[in-house]
């Protein structure tokens, strides 16, 4: 194939594919009840997964015991059995026990059944890793070292979190509301590229603090500019607040004006 003269990103092998795995309502099996298991369980509950914990009650730490007592997870009070993997509804298995031989056995059983598994502290026996996560409402930022330096990942995550605006999560919530209403207003598939381009303009047009402060009325007024593909300035948008019904004159071609 002839060279086009275009420059493309260099391939950097050795990484992992970082994705947001949607496990809402799906069954996740956690083997173990200690500190590491507690962290895994919290991650899964935050993602609205249906978590089943297999561990003798005497080995549950206080956090996992709390989850069990408050019916946040399903608890099986015994050690793991191979038959626990016979449930076709299991989406993933997380192993966090202080028994390397048992962990490897469970991993091999998962491989036989093609169930994605994570074996704590054993990177070669992991289909996926848990990174260090910063959470602010809908905002999630994950730092992964591909299992090579979990503590360092935590330090880097904390550094990144300090650089983010304190209200980033709320700004994303507001943008999310705008996207939902825009899709309701322009639902046709062929509108997709235009919706995406307009949303990009909106996201880049206003500072974080101002996006956080947009009200339902502001979002409604902002959507009136979508047909023209334009985005009003903040001053224009604020001037439209509480405009008397029927008094606005707006055709999308130049902005808006308010009648006397």
């Amino acid at each position: 194939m002839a060279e086009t003269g275009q420059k493309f990103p260099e391939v950097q092998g050795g990484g992992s594919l970082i994705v947001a795995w949607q496990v809402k309502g799906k069954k996740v099996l956690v083997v173990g009840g200690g500190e590491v298991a507690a962290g895994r369980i919290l991650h899964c509950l935050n993602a609205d997964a249906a978590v089943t914990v297999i561990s003798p009650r005497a080995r549950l730490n206080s956090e996992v015991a709390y989850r069990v007592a408050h019916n946040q997870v399903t608890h099986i009070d015994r050690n793991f059995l191979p038959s626990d993997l016979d449930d076709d509804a299991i989406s993933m298995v997380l192993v966090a026990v202080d028994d390397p031989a048992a962990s490897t056995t469970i991993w091999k059983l998962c491989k036989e059944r093609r169930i994605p598994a994570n074996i704590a502290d054993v990177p070669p026996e992991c289909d996926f890793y848990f990174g260090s996560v910063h959470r602010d409402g809908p905002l999630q930022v994950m730092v992964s070292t591909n299992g090579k330096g979990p503590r360092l990942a935590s330090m880097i995550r904390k550094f990144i979190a300090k650089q983010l605006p304190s209200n980033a999560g709320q700004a994303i919530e507001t943008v999310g509301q705008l996207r939902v209403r825009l899709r309701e207003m322009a639902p046709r598939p062929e509108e997709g590229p235009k919706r995406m381009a307009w949303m990009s303009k909106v996201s880049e047009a206003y500072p974080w603090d101002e996006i956080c402060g947009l009200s339902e009325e502001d979002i409604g007024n902002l959507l009136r500019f979508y047909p023209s593909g334009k985005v009003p300035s903040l001053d224009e948008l604020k001037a439209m607040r509480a405009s008397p019904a029927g008094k606005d004159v707006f055709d999308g071609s130049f902005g808006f004006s308010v009648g006397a």
Side-chain angles (χ1 to χ4, degrees):
M1 183 180 292
E3 294 290 336
T4 64
Q6 292 178 277
K7 292 185 178 180
F8 300 103
E10 292 292 329
V11 175
Q12 299 183 52
S16 56
L17 183 63
I18 297 180
V19 298
W21 195 340
Q22 299 296 322
V23 294
K24 181 177 181 179
K26 296 180 180 180
K27 189 170 184 177
V28 175
L29 194 65
V30 178
V31 182
E35 180 180 354
V36 175
R40 301 289 196 258
I41 291 168
L42 180 58
H43 278 305
C44 293
L45 291 177
N46 283 340
D48 300 319
V51 180
T52 295
V53 178
I54 300 178
S55 175
R57 187 174 297 275
R59 296 180 190 169
L60 300 181
N61 79 351
S62 57
E63 181 176 344
V64 179
Y66 173 87
R67 307 288 179 204
V68 171
H70 288 77
N71 297 315
Q72 296 178 359
V73 300
T74 299
H75 178 224
I76 299 177
D77 185 10
R78 57 167 169 74
N79 288 321
F80 171 86
L81 296 175
S83 59
D84 290 324
L85 298 179
D86 292 342
D87 186 349
D88 292 336
I90 296 174
S91 293
M92 68 171 67
V93 174
L94 312 177
V95 181
V97 295
D98 294 325
D99 187 333
S103 295
T104 296
T105 297
I106 297 172
W107 172 67
K108 289 179 178 178
L109 290 170
C110 289
K111 296 296 285 184
E112 291 174 2
R113 292 164 171 76
R114 296 186 178 182
I115 303 173
N118 173 278
I119 313 301
D121 296 325
V122 189
E125 297 182 358
C126 291
D127 293 305
F128 55 92
Y129 304 118
F130 282 86
S132 183
V133 178
H134 168 71
R135 179 77 184 271
D136 180 5
L139 175 63
Q140 291 178 266
V141 179
M142 188 185 88
V143 177
S144 173
T145 59
N146 287 307
K148 295 181 179 180
R151 295 299 179 186
L152 185 57
S154 178
M155 293 170 62
I156 295 172
R157 184 259 303 168
K158 291 177 182 178
F159 173 80
I160 293 173
K162 289 180 180 179
Q163 315 309 310
L164 295 171
S166 60
N167 50 9
Q170 181 54 51
I172 293 170
E173 287 282 9
T174 301
V175 170
Q177 294 174 26
L178 178 62
R179 288 188 67 214
V180 169
R181 293 184 59 179
L182 176 59
R183 184 172 288 276
E184 292 173 348
M185 185 175 112
R188 294 180 302 168
E190 55 269 30
E191 288 274 353
K194 181 179 179 180
R195 286 197 308 263
M196 292 175 62
W198 189 75
M199 282 300 308
S200 294
K201 289 182 182 180
V202 172
S203 298
E204 296 169 359
Y206 309 135
W208 286 96
D209 289 345
E210 297 294 346
I211 291 178
C212 291
L214 295 181
S215 64
E216 287 289 326
E217 179 188 13
D218 291 329
I219 291 175
N221 287 333
L222 183 56
L223 286 169
R224 296 168 63 186
F225 287 81
Y226 169 71
S228 69
K230 298 184 178 182
V231 176
S233 69
L234 275 172
D235 289 340
E236 290 175 325
L237 192 59
K238 290 178 180 179
M240 296 179 71
R241 291 174 179 172
S243 298
K247 296 275 185 154
D248 297 62
V249 178
F250 171 76
D251 64 8
S253 62
F254 57 90
F256 72 93
S257 63
V258 180

